[in-house]
């Protein structure tokens, strides 16, 4: 296998590998691949990553290469095209699935590859530094935490704590465990490049991963791809490449953050002080936000910016545990003769709302289509059976259909009770896409009805001071709603998180953290109250 230019044997080998990949993928269902987190690295992206790695290693260094999630060998193929054979001292990999591993082992048999068909997280790392990898490149399995059994999580948590002193959150995906476990497989000063979901940069269960990157290794560069440019056609995930060396970071260390374009030619790039990263809750703000802004005073002091949490208590809409059973149309209510006292109007999904202002009829029901009602009853079963025979019959239908065995229903008493989520005048959609500048990913909705909402909405309940002002002057409702809609999309996007294909999501605490100074211009009386509160917070911090 030579390393010459043009239509060389190595080029043909990559074409053959891709054909094998397509054939093996076709045999598996999407569900099977999702469960094991099997999303193959595109050939072009693998090549970009290895070419970038080449710029970070010494031109005379002998390479000891490791890929802990080998697949059919996208990164190994790129390694062979980026480095001469004479520089590859050792190459080994792990692949847990024999479906891919056996074919890969046979395909690469004539190359210096030692491929083990085994679970990397259970393998024993080399005992001495000379046998460890000095170049580790990996696209770890994207297995979400709910696909890991409690025993698997416990074993993985024990292992990462033993190797790094860090105990990962139980909400961590398998890729987080791979990243920390690999620490024991890397040589001192060895280089690692990880292709991972960018979600760890923003979510609470990514804190421990960021701790590892800032304290245990020298974080060099994080490149985040544009979420509209999904790297994996069969996975809705926004990707990042994380580069670091296995050595303690120097003082006054800075990390390169880049976004968009490619690794070699990003759309934007900046160097962010590690001190700023330690303070920042969300790393996807970089490199859009200036590091000079973030390296100043602590975010906990001198807070003069009003947040939505100063004006609203933000709650997620209610989770029924079985929408098809608990959320009913008027026709179903009539069919089952359900008593009206246990029925509460509930808003349909945002996609059905033709306007962002919901009017109400004389009964306080929303004028929307479809009209839906939530079955909500807190009476004990014996009372329901004795007093409401039609409701009891419907509940028994739920028992027969297995609704009582749903997770939420099993953990509440009675099983058909619902969360207390009264109607709120302001709501925000939980997720969306920014199709154009005029279509924002998050919509604020003004609700004049008594309808509650499900968890596809966030519900904004006015805090006492704002509630008092709204009661004194109901005309302020529309003004506040309009001010909410004037919060820039980039501001809300910066607080939330993004997934592949440009799908944006925002959690209640993230929305609550959004700045809302624009609302104070509408509320002169409230302004003084809120400013006094902020000043008081500054004094006690």
């Amino acid at each position: 296998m030579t390393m010459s230019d043009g239509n060389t044997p190595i080029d043909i080998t990559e074409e053959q590998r891709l054909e094998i990949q397509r054939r093996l993928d076709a045999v598996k269902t999407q569900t099977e691949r999702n469960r094991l987190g099997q999303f193959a690295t595109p050939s072009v992206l693998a090549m970009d990553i290895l070419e970038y790695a080449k710029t970070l290693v010494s031109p005379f260094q002998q390479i000891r290469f490791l890929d802990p999630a080998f697949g059919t060998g996208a990164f190994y193929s790129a390694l062979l095209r980026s480095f001469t054979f004479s520089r590859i001292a050792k190459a080994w990999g792990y692949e847990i699935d024999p479906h891919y591993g056996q074919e890969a082992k046979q395909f690469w048999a004539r190359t210096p590859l030692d491929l083990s068909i085994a679970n990397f997280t259970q393998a024993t790392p080399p005992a001495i530094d000379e046998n460890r990898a000095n170049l580790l490149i990996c696209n770890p399995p994207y297995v979400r935490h709910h696909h890991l059994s409690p025993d698997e999580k416990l074993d993985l948590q024990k292992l990462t704590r033993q190797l790094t002193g860090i105990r990962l959150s139980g909400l961590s995906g398998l890729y987080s465990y791979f990243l920390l476990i690999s620490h024991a497989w890397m040589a001192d000063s060895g280089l690692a490049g990880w292709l991972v979901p960018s979600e760890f940069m923003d979510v609470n269960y990514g804190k421990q991963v960021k701790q590892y990157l800032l304290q245990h290794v020298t974080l060099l560069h994080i490149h985040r791809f544009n979420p509209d440019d999904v790297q994996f056609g069969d996975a809705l995930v926004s990707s990042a490449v994380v580069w670091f060396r296995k050595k303690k970071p120097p003082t006054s260390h800075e990390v390169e953050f880049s976004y968009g374009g490619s690794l070699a030619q990003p759309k934007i790039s900046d160097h962010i002080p590690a001190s700023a990263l330690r303070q920042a809750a969300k790393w996807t703000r970089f490199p859009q936000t200036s590091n000079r802004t973030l390296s100043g005073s602590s975010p906990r002091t001198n807070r003069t910016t009003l947040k939505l949490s100063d004006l609203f208590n933000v709650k997620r809409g209610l989770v029924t545990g079985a929408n098809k059973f608990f959320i009913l149309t008027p026709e179903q209510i009539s069919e089952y003769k359900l008593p009206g006292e246990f029925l509460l109007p509930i808003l349909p999904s945002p996609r059905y709302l033709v306007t962002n202002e919901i009017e109400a009829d004389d009964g306080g029901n929303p004028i929307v289509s479809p009209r839906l009602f939530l079955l909500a009853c807190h009476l004990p079963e014996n009372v329901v059976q004795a007093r409401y025979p039609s409701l009891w019959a419907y509940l028994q239908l739920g028992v027969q259909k297995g609704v009582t065995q749903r997770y939420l229903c099993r953990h509440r008493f009675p099983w058909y009770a619902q969360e207390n989520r009264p109607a709120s005048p302001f709501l925000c959609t939980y997720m969306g896409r920014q199709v154009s500048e005029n279509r924002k990913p998050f919509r604020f909705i003004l609700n004049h009805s008594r309808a509650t909402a499900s968890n596809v909405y966030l519900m904004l309940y006015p805090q006492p001071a704002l509630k008092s002002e709204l009661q004194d002057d109901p005309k302020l409702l529309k003004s506040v709603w309009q001010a909410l809609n004037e919060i820039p999309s980039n501001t809300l996007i910066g607080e939330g998180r993004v997934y592949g294909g440009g799908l944006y999501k925002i959690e209640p605490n993230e929305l609550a953290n959004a700045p809302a100074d624009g609302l104070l211009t509408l509320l002169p009386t409230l302004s003084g109250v809120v400013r006094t509160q902020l000043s008081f917070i500054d004094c006690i911090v």
Side-chain angles (χ1 to χ4, degrees), residues 110-141:
R110 296 183 180 181
T111 71
L113 173 70
D114 180 9
L115 178 61
S116 299
I117 303 175
N119 186 341
F120 170 71
T121 66
Q122 297 175 2
T124 302
I128 59 175
D129 201 63
E130 290 76 8
N131 291 336
R132 297 182 183 128
N134 58 18
L135 177 60
L136 187 152
I137 306 291
C138 186
N139 169 17

mmCIF file of all heavy atoms in Angstrom, residues 110-141:
data_model
loop_
_atom_site.group_PDB
_atom_site.id
_atom_site.type_symbol
_atom_site.label_atom_id
_atom_site.label_comp_id
_atom_site.label_asym_id
_atom_site.label_seq_id
_atom_site.Cartn_x
_atom_site.Cartn_y
_atom_site.Cartn_z
ATOM 1 N N ARG A 110 -3.798 -6.275 6.364
ATOM 2 C CA ARG A 110 -2.441 -6.099 5.825
ATOM 3 C C ARG A 110 -1.798 -4.788 6.262
ATOM 4 O O ARG A 110 -0.758 -4.402 5.720
ATOM 5 C CB ARG A 110 -2.479 -6.173 4.306
ATOM 6 C CG ARG A 110 -2.919 -7.530 3.774
ATOM 7 C CD ARG A 110 -2.861 -7.576 2.264
ATOM 8 N NE ARG A 110 -3.272 -8.880 1.750
ATOM 9 C CZ ARG A 110 -3.292 -9.191 0.456
ATOM 10 N NH1 ARG A 110 -2.920 -8.274 -0.449
ATOM 11 N NH2 ARG A 110 -3.684 -10.396 0.069
ATOM 12 N N THR A 111 -2.392 -4.125 7.205
ATOM 13 C CA THR A 111 -1.843 -2.857 7.714
ATOM 14 C C THR A 111 -1.424 -3.044 9.168
ATOM 15 O O THR A 111 -1.831 -4.013 9.817
ATOM 16 C CB THR A 111 -2.890 -1.734 7.610
ATOM 17 O OG1 THR A 111 -3.930 -1.967 8.583
ATOM 18 C CG2 THR A 111 -3.492 -1.655 6.214
ATOM 19 N N PRO A 112 -0.636 -2.122 9.714
ATOM 20 C CA PRO A 112 -0.154 -2.278 11.101
ATOM 21 C C PRO A 112 -1.220 -1.928 12.144
ATOM 22 O O PRO A 112 -1.018 -1.079 13.008
ATOM 23 C CB PRO A 112 1.026 -1.306 11.163
ATOM 24 C CG PRO A 112 0.683 -0.238 10.178
ATOM 25 C CD PRO A 112 -0.030 -0.950 9.050
ATOM 26 N N LEU A 113 -2.376 -2.574 12.051
ATOM 27 C CA LEU A 113 -3.484 -2.300 12.966
ATOM 28 C C LEU A 113 -3.732 -3.493 13.865
ATOM 29 O O LEU A 113 -3.843 -4.627 13.403
ATOM 30 C CB LEU A 113 -4.762 -1.973 12.182
ATOM 31 C CG LEU A 113 -6.041 -1.834 13.041
ATOM 32 C CD1 LEU A 113 -5.982 -0.573 13.902
ATOM 33 C CD2 LEU A 113 -7.284 -1.837 12.161
ATOM 34 N N ASP A 114 -3.851 -3.222 15.171
ATOM 35 C CA ASP A 114 -4.253 -4.234 16.141
ATOM 36 C C ASP A 114 -5.660 -3.861 16.606
ATOM 37 O O ASP A 114 -5.839 -2.968 17.430
ATOM 38 C CB ASP A 114 -3.275 -4.249 17.313
ATOM 39 C CG ASP A 114 -3.660 -5.294 18.357
ATOM 40 O OD1 ASP A 114 -4.569 -6.099 18.095
ATOM 41 O OD2 ASP A 114 -3.060 -5.273 19.452
ATOM 42 N N LEU A 115 -6.673 -4.518 16.049
ATOM 43 C CA LEU A 115 -8.070 -4.198 16.343
ATOM 44 C C LEU A 115 -8.669 -5.259 17.249
ATOM 45 O O LEU A 115 -8.679 -6.445 16.918
ATOM 46 C CB LEU A 115 -8.884 -4.091 15.051
ATOM 47 C CG LEU A 115 -10.379 -3.802 15.214
ATOM 48 C CD1 LEU A 115 -10.604 -2.466 15.922
ATOM 49 C CD2 LEU A 115 -11.082 -3.807 13.858
ATOM 50 N N SER A 116 -9.161 -4.810 18.397
ATOM 51 C CA SER A 116 -9.814 -5.713 19.351
ATOM 52 C C SER A 116 -11.328 -5.539 19.241
ATOM 53 O O SER A 116 -11.831 -4.415 19.276
ATOM 54 C CB SER A 116 -9.370 -5.411 20.784
ATOM 55 O OG SER A 116 -7.980 -5.596 20.937
ATOM 56 N N ILE A 117 -12.024 -6.643 19.127
ATOM 57 C CA ILE A 117 -13.494 -6.598 19.139
ATOM 58 C C ILE A 117 -13.920 -6.779 20.592
ATOM 59 O O ILE A 117 -14.084 -7.891 21.091
ATOM 60 C CB ILE A 117 -14.085 -7.681 18.218
ATOM 61 C CG1 ILE A 117 -13.554 -7.497 16.805
ATOM 62 C CG2 ILE A 117 -15.616 -7.603 18.225
ATOM 63 C CD1 ILE A 117 -13.973 -8.581 15.839
ATOM 64 N N ALA A 118 -14.035 -5.661 21.270
ATOM 65 C CA ALA A 118 -14.267 -5.678 22.712
ATOM 66 C C ALA A 118 -14.793 -4.314 23.154
ATOM 67 O O ALA A 118 -14.742 -3.340 22.397
ATOM 68 C CB ALA A 118 -12.969 -6.006 23.452
ATOM 69 N N ASN A 119 -15.279 -4.275 24.375
ATOM 70 C CA ASN A 119 -15.786 -3.037 24.982
ATOM 71 C C ASN A 119 -14.607 -2.235 25.523
ATOM 72 O O ASN A 119 -13.953 -2.658 26.474
ATOM 73 C CB ASN A 119 -16.768 -3.380 26.101
ATOM 74 C CG ASN A 119 -17.445 -2.138 26.677
ATOM 75 O OD1 ASN A 119 -16.972 -1.016 26.526
ATOM 76 N ND2 ASN A 119 -18.566 -2.352 27.344
ATOM 77 N N PHE A 120 -14.332 -1.087 24.935
ATOM 78 C CA PHE A 120 -13.187 -0.272 25.343
ATOM 79 C C PHE A 120 -13.252 0.097 26.820
ATOM 80 O O PHE A 120 -12.229 0.130 27.503
ATOM 81 C CB PHE A 120 -13.122 0.998 24.493
ATOM 82 C CG PHE A 120 -12.133 2.027 24.979
ATOM 83 C CD1 PHE A 120 -10.765 1.807 24.855
ATOM 84 C CD2 PHE A 120 -12.565 3.198 25.579
ATOM 85 C CE1 PHE A 120 -9.857 2.736 25.320
ATOM 86 C CE2 PHE A 120 -11.661 4.145 26.042
ATOM 87 C CZ PHE A 120 -10.301 3.913 25.908
ATOM 88 N N THR A 121 -14.441 0.374 27.323
ATOM 89 C CA THR A 121 -14.564 0.826 28.713
ATOM 90 C C THR A 121 -14.213 -0.272 29.713
ATOM 91 O O THR A 121 -14.021 0.007 30.897
ATOM 92 C CB THR A 121 -15.985 1.340 29.005
ATOM 93 O OG1 THR A 121 -16.919 0.251 28.924
ATOM 94 C CG2 THR A 121 -16.384 2.423 28.021
ATOM 95 N N GLN A 122 -14.131 -1.529 29.244
ATOM 96 C CA GLN A 122 -13.780 -2.643 30.132
ATOM 97 C C GLN A 122 -12.386 -3.187 29.870
ATOM 98 O O GLN A 122 -11.950 -4.129 30.534
ATOM 99 C CB GLN A 122 -14.812 -3.767 29.970
ATOM 100 C CG GLN A 122 -16.227 -3.363 30.374
ATOM 101 C CD GLN A 122 -17.256 -4.444 30.093
ATOM 102 O OE1 GLN A 122 -16.921 -5.531 29.620
ATOM 103 N NE2 GLN A 122 -18.510 -4.148 30.396
ATOM 104 N N ALA A 123 -11.670 -2.592 28.914
ATOM 105 C CA ALA A 123 -10.322 -3.055 28.587
ATOM 106 C C ALA A 123 -9.308 -2.504 29.583
ATOM 107 O O ALA A 123 -9.541 -1.481 30.242
ATOM 108 C CB ALA A 123 -9.957 -2.634 27.167
ATOM 109 N N THR A 124 -8.167 -3.170 29.688
ATOM 110 C CA THR A 124 -7.106 -2.760 30.616
ATOM 111 C C THR A 124 -6.112 -1.860 29.884
ATOM 112 O O THR A 124 -5.538 -2.262 28.870
ATOM 113 C CB THR A 124 -6.370 -3.975 31.172
ATOM 114 O OG1 THR A 124 -7.311 -4.833 31.830
ATOM 115 C CG2 THR A 124 -5.282 -3.556 32.155
ATOM 116 N N PRO A 125 -5.886 -0.642 30.357
ATOM 117 C CA PRO A 125 -4.956 0.265 29.679
ATOM 118 C C PRO A 125 -3.514 -0.178 29.847
ATOM 119 O O PRO A 125 -3.185 -0.939 30.773
ATOM 120 C CB PRO A 125 -5.201 1.600 30.380
ATOM 121 C CG PRO A 125 -5.748 1.246 31.723
ATOM 122 C CD PRO A 125 -6.533 -0.017 31.530
ATOM 123 N N PRO A 126 -2.615 0.266 28.964
ATOM 124 C CA PRO A 126 -1.191 -0.097 29.073
ATOM 125 C C PRO A 126 -0.604 0.361 30.404
ATOM 126 O O PRO A 126 -0.975 1.409 30.944
ATOM 127 C CB PRO A 126 -0.551 0.645 27.893
ATOM 128 C CG PRO A 126 -1.669 0.891 26.936
ATOM 129 C CD PRO A 126 -2.886 1.085 27.772
ATOM 130 N N ALA A 127 0.346 -0.427 30.898
ATOM 131 C CA ALA A 127 0.917 -0.160 32.223
ATOM 132 C C ALA A 127 1.997 0.908 32.194
ATOM 133 O O ALA A 127 2.236 1.594 33.192
ATOM 134 C CB ALA A 127 1.470 -1.452 32.809
ATOM 135 N N ILE A 128 2.680 1.075 31.037
ATOM 136 C CA ILE A 128 3.781 2.034 30.976
ATOM 137 C C ILE A 128 3.516 3.061 29.875
ATOM 138 O O ILE A 128 2.820 2.796 28.893
ATOM 139 C CB ILE A 128 5.130 1.330 30.732
ATOM 140 C CG1 ILE A 128 5.104 0.531 29.428
ATOM 141 C CG2 ILE A 128 5.482 0.447 31.919
ATOM 142 C CD1 ILE A 128 6.438 -0.096 29.078
ATOM 143 N N ASP A 129 4.118 4.230 30.054
ATOM 144 C CA ASP A 129 3.844 5.351 29.162
ATOM 145 C C ASP A 129 4.248 5.065 27.721
ATOM 146 O O ASP A 129 3.580 5.503 26.777
ATOM 147 C CB ASP A 129 4.576 6.603 29.669
ATOM 148 C CG ASP A 129 3.961 7.883 29.137
ATOM 149 O OD1 ASP A 129 2.789 8.152 29.455
ATOM 150 O OD2 ASP A 129 4.659 8.600 28.385
ATOM 151 N N GLU A 130 5.331 4.307 27.521
ATOM 152 C CA GLU A 130 5.830 4.033 26.175
ATOM 153 C C GLU A 130 4.852 3.214 25.343
ATOM 154 O O GLU A 130 4.937 3.189 24.118
ATOM 155 C CB GLU A 130 7.180 3.294 26.242
ATOM 156 C CG GLU A 130 8.339 4.142 26.730
ATOM 157 C CD GLU A 130 8.318 4.363 28.240
ATOM 158 O OE1 GLU A 130 7.474 3.717 28.924
ATOM 159 O OE2 GLU A 130 9.120 5.170 28.737
ATOM 160 N N ASN A 131 3.924 2.531 26.004
ATOM 161 C CA ASN A 131 2.948 1.718 25.281
ATOM 162 C C ASN A 131 1.600 2.418 25.121
ATOM 163 O O ASN A 131 0.663 1.819 24.580
ATOM 164 C CB ASN A 131 2.736 0.385 26.006
ATOM 165 C CG ASN A 131 3.953 -0.504 25.924
ATOM 166 O OD1 ASN A 131 4.768 -0.367 25.013
ATOM 167 N ND2 ASN A 131 4.093 -1.423 26.871
ATOM 168 N N ARG A 132 1.520 3.653 25.590
ATOM 169 C CA ARG A 132 0.255 4.391 25.480
ATOM 170 C C ARG A 132 0.235 5.237 24.211
ATOM 171 O O ARG A 132 1.278 5.506 23.611
ATOM 172 C CB ARG A 132 0.044 5.279 26.710
ATOM 173 C CG ARG A 132 -0.072 4.487 28.008
ATOM 174 C CD ARG A 132 -0.324 5.385 29.197
ATOM 175 N NE ARG A 132 -0.366 4.611 30.432
ATOM 176 C CZ ARG A 132 0.338 4.876 31.520
ATOM 177 N NH1 ARG A 132 1.148 5.931 31.530
ATOM 178 N NH2 ARG A 132 0.242 4.124 32.582
ATOM 179 N N ALA A 133 -0.949 5.668 23.827
ATOM 180 C CA ALA A 133 -1.127 6.418 22.585
ATOM 181 C C ALA A 133 -0.633 7.848 22.741
ATOM 182 O O ALA A 133 -0.891 8.495 23.761
ATOM 183 C CB ALA A 133 -2.598 6.427 22.184
ATOM 184 N N ASN A 134 0.065 8.335 21.733
ATOM 185 C CA ASN A 134 0.389 9.761 21.709
ATOM 186 C C ASN A 134 -0.476 10.520 20.689
ATOM 187 O O ASN A 134 -0.355 11.723 20.542
ATOM 188 C CB ASN A 134 1.876 10.001 21.442
ATOM 189 C CG ASN A 134 2.338 9.376 20.132
ATOM 190 O OD1 ASN A 134 1.544 9.051 19.259
ATOM 191 N ND2 ASN A 134 3.655 9.199 20.001
ATOM 192 N N LEU A 135 -1.364 9.794 20.006
ATOM 193 C CA LEU A 135 -2.368 10.415 19.136
ATOM 194 C C LEU A 135 -3.648 9.589 19.240
ATOM 195 O O LEU A 135 -3.718 8.456 18.749
ATOM 196 C CB LEU A 135 -1.894 10.476 17.684
ATOM 197 C CG LEU A 135 -2.928 11.061 16.686
ATOM 198 C CD1 LEU A 135 -3.296 12.496 17.060
ATOM 199 C CD2 LEU A 135 -2.386 11.009 15.257
ATOM 200 N N LEU A 136 -4.625 10.142 19.931
ATOM 201 C CA LEU A 136 -5.915 9.476 20.103
ATOM 202 C C LEU A 136 -6.968 10.292 19.370
ATOM 203 O O LEU A 136 -7.160 11.473 19.656
ATOM 204 C CB LEU A 136 -6.257 9.350 21.587
ATOM 205 C CG LEU A 136 -7.509 8.536 21.951
ATOM 206 C CD1 LEU A 136 -7.364 7.924 23.335
ATOM 207 C CD2 LEU A 136 -8.784 9.373 21.882
ATOM 208 N N ILE A 137 -7.638 9.671 18.413
ATOM 209 C CA ILE A 137 -8.701 10.320 17.665
ATOM 210 C C ILE A 137 -9.936 9.452 17.767
ATOM 211 O O ILE A 137 -9.860 8.235 17.527
ATOM 212 C CB ILE A 137 -8.337 10.517 16.173
ATOM 213 C CG1 ILE A 137 -6.996 11.259 16.040
ATOM 214 C CG2 ILE A 137 -9.445 11.262 15.443
ATOM 215 C CD1 ILE A 137 -7.027 12.702 16.468
ATOM 216 N N CYS A 138 -11.079 10.042 18.107
ATOM 217 C CA CYS A 138 -12.247 9.200 18.360
ATOM 218 C C CYS A 138 -13.554 9.947 18.102
ATOM 219 O O CYS A 138 -13.687 11.131 18.443
ATOM 220 C CB CYS A 138 -12.223 8.709 19.809
ATOM 221 S SG CYS A 138 -13.529 7.525 20.215
ATOM 222 N N ASN A 139 -14.493 9.231 17.526
ATOM 223 C CA ASN A 139 -15.898 9.634 17.473
ATOM 224 C C ASN A 139 -16.633 8.635 18.353
ATOM 225 O O ASN A 139 -17.061 7.583 17.885
ATOM 226 C CB ASN A 139 -16.412 9.589 16.027
ATOM 227 C CG ASN A 139 -17.922 9.727 15.936
ATOM 228 O OD1 ASN A 139 -18.584 10.162 16.876
ATOM 229 N ND2 ASN A 139 -18.479 9.323 14.798
ATOM 230 N N PRO A 140 -16.749 8.925 19.663
ATOM 231 C CA PRO A 140 -17.292 7.929 20.596
ATOM 232 C C PRO A 140 -18.773 7.675 20.336
ATOM 233 O O PRO A 140 -19.459 8.503 19.722
ATOM 234 C CB PRO A 140 -17.069 8.582 21.964
ATOM 235 C CG PRO A 140 -17.067 10.044 21.687
ATOM 236 C CD PRO A 140 -16.443 10.198 20.327
ATOM 237 N N PRO A 141 -19.277 6.544 20.807
ATOM 238 C CA PRO A 141 -20.699 6.225 20.588
ATOM 239 C C PRO A 141 -21.600 7.249 21.266
ATOM 240 O O PRO A 141 -21.399 7.585 22.429
ATOM 241 C CB PRO A 141 -20.853 4.831 21.209
ATOM 242 C CG PRO A 141 -19.681 4.675 22.122
ATOM 243 C CD PRO A 141 -18.583 5.483 21.534
#
